Amino acid sequence: MGVIADHLQEMLARQVAEQGIVLWFDPDQTYSSLIETLKIPSCKIARYNTSYYDLRAQIEEALRGPHRPHMLVYVPLHRDQTKQALAELAALGAVAQPGDRSVLRNTRLSLVARRSLKGRIPDHRLDELEKQIDSGQLKLADLERLADEGSDLRLSPVLNVIFGVDMPEEAALKFVSSDRYDQVLLDKKASSELINSLSSIYKAPIKTEKSPEQLRSVFARHVLIADFLYSLADDIPPALVTLAGTIDAYALRKCSELAASWRGQLGLAESYKRAAAQVEKSLHVNSMSLPFEICQKVETFAKIDAILLTNTAKKLIERIGEDVLAFASKRAKGFWATQDPELKGQWNILNLAAQLIQFSSFVQSQVGKKNASSIVRSYIDEWHRMDTLHRYLEKQTSNLEVHLKLPDDLDKLVSSARKAHHEAATLLAETFLRALKDASFHIPDFYKQSEVFEIFVEPHFHQKKTAYIFVDALRYEMATELNGLLGKEFDLQLNAVIGTLPAVTEVGMAALLPRARQSMQLRAPNKALEVVMGDKVLANREKRIEYFASNIDMPVVVLKLEEYKAIKRKLKEVPSGPFIVLLTSQEIDSSGEKGFTSTRQMMDDVLSQLCIAMRRLAEVGVEHIVVAADHGFLYGEEMDDSMKIDAPGGKTALLHRRVWVGRNGASSPSYFMEPLSKFGINSDLDIAVPLNLAVFRSGGSVSYFHGGASPQELIIPVLTARPKVTQHYDTVKGISWKLALGTPKITSRFFSVTVTGESRVLEMEWPRIKVEARVGNESCSIPVSGSYGFNQTTADFALRESTQSPNSVEPNTIALMLTEKAPASGSVTIHLIDSLTGMELVKPNPVEVSLAF
C-alpha cells in the first residue's frame, strides 16, 4: 500500500480499537480498491455488496459472540441511501464517512491526503491538491504517485540554507520570482546545484555558465511555455509543436504547478506579470488562432484573457448558457482580472449584462395577465432583482464608457442587456397599469404610503427613542440590500407600501407625515400644484418639518442624512426621555435632475450614508428606526423622440416627464387619465400617466424619471430596524494603518493602493474600509476591485487577519479608477475610511497626478 493508504489504515485501526465496530460509508467508492489489502490486527473486515442480508450473514457470528467484536464494515453507499438498514451497527459503534464532524472519522480523500502528505509535498501545493481532489481531478492512485515522487526530492543542504525550505518546488518558486537570493548563490557557489535541481524536476534547458539573472530568465520562460503547453494539452498550435516535443509529461505538469503557485501568491504577482509579458511577446500569442474552448483552459498569459472576454461576449449574445455564465463568473475572479482593473471591470460588466438578459427574459415570461396585487407581490419577492442587476450594470459601465472604449462585442452585449431590461420593464409597467385600472386603483393586502406614520412610527415613539428617516428616491430594490448590510447589527423588517400619485417628492414626502391619510389634499388654486395638510401649504422641506414638529408632542431633532457626523453631538443636547429624530435626504433626486452619471454613484452613497446614520443612532440609544421613501424611479439610456409623447395640455398644475396633473387635458391612447380622487386622494384634479415607459415632452432629465405608476416608481420600501444590542463602533482604535501606492505618482486612470495595518489587540475583528481619492473635499475615484473582500453595493472592503501574523491585516491591494472629477495634472489626496463610522483612519497625504491622454 502507499503513504495515504497506510495513513487511512492507521486511522481506521485506531477507531476500531477504541469503538469496537466501525461502520464505514464510502459513497463515491474512493477506497473500494483498498478493502482487499487493508490489514487491521484482530479485526473482521466485512463489505456490503448488494444485499443487506448477505452483509448480516458475514457479521452475525461476530455480533453474537461473548466478547465485544472488533469489526470494520465497509459500505460503498451514502448513509442516507441505506434507509436505516444499518442503524443497529451505527448504534453499537462509530461511523466513519466523508465530512464527518470528527476529524478522526472523516474519510474525505482531500483531508486524508493532506494529513498523510504533510511534509512530503510543499504546503502551497497541498492547498491546490485539496481543491483538485474535491473537484474529482485527482484520485487515490494519483496521490500515491505524487507522494512517491515527493519523498525522493529534497534540496541539498546548501540550497536548504540559502532558500530556507526543504522542498525543491518551494526553492524554485522563490528563485523564479525574485532576485534576492542571487548574490548568496554566487557567494556559496551553489548555482550548479540549483541548476541540477531545476533540471531534474522541470527539465529546464539551463547552462551553468549563465548568471543567476540569466538563469532566472531562461527558467521563467521554460516554466511559462510549459504551463501554456500543459493547458493546451492536445491542441498545441503548429508554431509550438517543436517546443512541446522537448518536455516530457511529468515536467510539463510540474512546470504548470509551479506557474499556478507563482500566480497564486499575492506578493509574487508583479514578478509573474513581468515574466509573462516578455514570454507572451516572444511567442506572438496575439497572432495565434485559438478556439474559445481551448482558451478556457489557459491562464498563462494576459492576452488569452482578452481573447476570452471577446469570445465569451459573442457566445452570450447568441445564447445565455449556464455553462458560459459559470465560466465568465470564474474568470472574473481569475489572476489576470485581479491584476488588471480595466479587465476586471470588463469581466464584471460581461457577467452583469448576461445575468440581466437572463433575468429580464424570466420576468417577461412571468408577467402574463397577473392582477395588480400579485404583480406587486411578485416584484417584491423576486422581480426587483432585475432592477438591481440593471443598477449594478449601469454603475459599472458609466465610468468605463466615459473614459475607455469597451471591446465591440462587449459593447454589443451591454446594448442587448439594456434592451432586454427596457422591454421587460415596459411590459411590466403596462401590465401593472392596466391591472391597476381593473382593480379600480385599489391594491388590497398592502398599506398605503399615507399610512406609514400611523402604522410603523406612532405606536412606538412614546415608549422608545425613535428615528424616522425620509430617503428621497430610495427604490424598493435598493432597500432590500440593507438587510445584507445591517442584518448582523439590527433586527430588520422590510415592508412594501403603495406610493401616492403623482410620485413626486412634494407629494411623497408629505404622505409620510402624521395624519396624511386623513388630512392631505392636492389643489391648484393658482395653476401650480399645492400639497395641503389641514390649512397648511407644504411648499418645501422647511414647511414639512414645521408641520411634523407641530404635530408631535415630544422633542424633535431634525437632521439631513448627509449630516450623519453630527448625530451624536445633536442628540447630546436633547433632554432625557423619549424623543424622535427626523432625518431627511434629497440627494438622489437632486443628482438625477442634474446629471445621470453622478446619480448612479449617488445611489450607493445614499445606502452607505444610511448605514452609518443608523449605526450612529443606535450608538446613542435610539431603539426604533423607521426608514421610508417618497417615491421610486426609473432610469436608463436617454429617451429618444420615439419614446416622447405630447402632454395632455389644458390647465396644467404639474408636468414632469412621467406625470401630468391638471384639468381639462386631452385624452390619448398613449396614457391613461383619471381623477386623482380615484386613487383615494382628496383632490378635484386629474392625473395622466404614460401607459408604458414613455415620457412627456417637457423639461427635465432624459434618463432619470419618477412620477408615474410603474412598480419601480410606485412600490415604496418601509424598513423598521431595532438594534440588537447597544453598539459601540470603536474597533479601529489601537490600529496602526499604512497606505502604499503602486507607483510614486498617478499617471493613468487606474491606480492601486495597498492597505496594511497592525493592531495591539490579538484576535480582533478587522473593520470594513473604504479607499478613495479626493480633490478638495470631493471624491474623484471609484473602487474597481481588491485582493479580497470587495462589496459592490457599498463599494467597501472587508479586511482579514494575516496568516503570517495574527495581529496584522492581510495586505489588500485595492484598484481605483479616477472619474471625470479628477484633475489631469496637479494632486489628489488618498483617504482611508472606516465604513461603519465614516471616520478617517490615516492623515491623507497629497499624491501627484499627471494623466496622459
Side-chain angles (χ1 to χ4, degrees), residues 7 20 30 87 119 157 176 220 251 282 313 422 527 536 571-572 584 623 650 687 696 711 720 805 809 851:
H7 178 84
T30 303
V176 78
S282 69
H422 183 81
K527 292 188 178 180
K536 304 292 184 183
L571 293 184
K572 282 182 180 179
T584 65
E623 304 162 273
I687 184 170
F696 290 123
T720 57
S805 174
V809 70
L851 301 181

Side-chain angles (χ1 to χ4, degrees), residues 796-813:
D796 66 358
F797 297 83
L799 297 178
R800 66 190 181 206
E801 183 182 278
S802 169
T803 55
Q804 307 299 319
S805 174
N807 64 333
S808 297
V809 70
E810 182 79 20
N812 199 337
T813 300

